[in-house]
Amino acid sequence: MSALTVTRSVRRNAPSALVLVWMLAPLVPILVWGFAARWSAPAVLPQDWGLVGWRQALDSGMYAALARSAVLGLVVAAIATPVGAMAGRALGWREVSYPVLIGLVLLAPVVLPPFAVSMGLDVLLLRLGIPETLAVVMVLVAFAIPYTAYTMRASYQSVDPEVEEQARVLGATPRQARTRASLPAVRSGLVAAFALAFLVGWSDYAVTLLVGGGRLITMPVLIGATASGTGREPALAALSLAAVIPPVVALGIVLRFARRRPSPVSIQPEVSP
């Protein structure tokens, strides 16, 4: 490899490397605190190292909180992604009247402050007798749909609606045209929408705490409770690291999956008996 090729490669990858460093730099102190047993000012590095923070995090129920956050994120994503896909298809292919008005309605949960919405819905949901966990899922799905809908809107705008008509000409039924022609074309958008909806459920604090009444202890709620105390920096750092790792791993998996090309599927017309 010549020096010119190396120079061009460095220049091409430098912006991405700088962005990555900018994003990871704030995690360095948290990483150090996660393995520090004692770190008092004005010392630059911890005086004692150890796994005190991780033991405290485990004692506080870290595994159970991780499981609840994962299940909550998956449930929210499983509901919000297909709903957002249908809305995104209708908006992207202009299958509805007044798309601007519908788009503004979809954006309402993002525009409104989550804390204010949670405080207002808390009283209503309590009077209706809806269980706390179900209420949290309902509200978070409403907050996730704008992300999934607009992600899928952009995906469908990049696909010609005629792709389904062409499949119909080849003998596909309307269902086959959707599942084997248009959906594979927007697969990367579906993966991105699912990831965004999962992160809404995984990282939420205000809705889970207020609407859940403090009974649904997810990772953000556990981190908030730990941060309210003093002298628990190692445990707080360990919980923060544990909360960051699963979304990063999941994001890497879905991005790798999204880059795969869909395998060709033959469309065979359904023959009635």
Side-chain angles (χ1 to χ4, degrees):
M1 182 180 295
S2 63
L4 181 60
T5 304
V6 174
T7 303
R8 290 178 178 176
S9 178
V10 171
R11 289 179 179 178
R12 184 173 59 252
N13 297 324
S16 301
L18 290 175
V19 172
L20 184 62
V21 171
W22 178 266
M23 295 176 62
L24 295 180
L27 296 178
V28 174
I30 300 177
L31 183 63
V32 176
W33 262 120
F35 298 93
R38 185 170 63 91
W39 192 2
S40 304
V44 178
L45 294 175
Q47 291 90 345
D48 296 321
W49 299 87
L51 300 176
V52 177
W54 292 97
R55 287 194 292 268
Q56 293 176 350
L58 291 174
D59 293 339
S60 64
M62 184 182 71
Y63 284 149
L66 283 171
R68 295 189 192 99
S69 292
V71 172
L72 181 61
L74 291 174
V75 171
V76 170
I79 299 174
T81 302
V83 175
M86 291 186 290
R89 174 194 170 100
L91 292 174
W93 284 356
R94 295 188 175 276
E95 297 177 345
V96 293
S97 303
Y98 309 106
V100 175
L101 178 60
I102 295 176
L104 292 176
V105 173
L106 287 173
L107 282 175
V110 179
V111 176
L112 298 175
F115 186 83
V117 173
S118 302
M119 290 292 292
L121 288 177
D122 189 22
V123 178
L124 176 62
L125 295 172
L126 286 175
R127 291 183 177 180
L128 293 176
I130 299 177
E132 293 88 351
T133 303
L134 178 60
V136 170
V137 172
M138 293 170 56
V139 176
L140 290 181
V141 167
F143 278 111
I145 285 177
Y147 298 99
T148 59
Y150 274 87
T151 300
M152 295 308 302
R153 175 178 177 267
S155 296
Y156 274 105
Q157 283 180 336
S158 64
V159 176
D160 191 345
E162 294 296 326
V163 67
E164 291 191 2
E165 293 298 328
Q166 295 172 4
R168 296 290 304 277
V169 170
L170 294 175
T173 63
R175 180 176 177 273
Q176 287 179 325
R178 288 192 301 271
T179 58
R180 299 190 179 186
S182 59
L183 283 180
V186 297
R187 185 182 65 174
S188 60
L190 284 170
V191 175
F194 188 91
L196 289 174
F198 173 80
L199 291 177
V200 169
W202 173 274
S203 61
D204 176 76
Y205 174 77
V207 174
T208 307
L209 179 64
L210 297 176
V211 178
R215 298 181 181 180
L216 184 60
I217 308 300
T218 59
M219 281 300 291
V221 175
L222 183 59
I223 291 174
T226 305
S228 62
T230 58
R232 305 200 64 188
E233 289 83 2
L236 180 60
L239 290 171
S240 301
L241 290 173
V244 168
I245 292 174
V248 172
V249 174
L251 184 60
I253 294 174
V254 296
L255 289 178
R256 184 174 181 180
F257 177 80
R259 281 196 289 265
R260 294 180 180 177
R261 295 182 178 180
S263 56
V265 179
S266 61
I267 299 177
Q268 300 177 355
E270 294 183 354
V271 179
S272 57

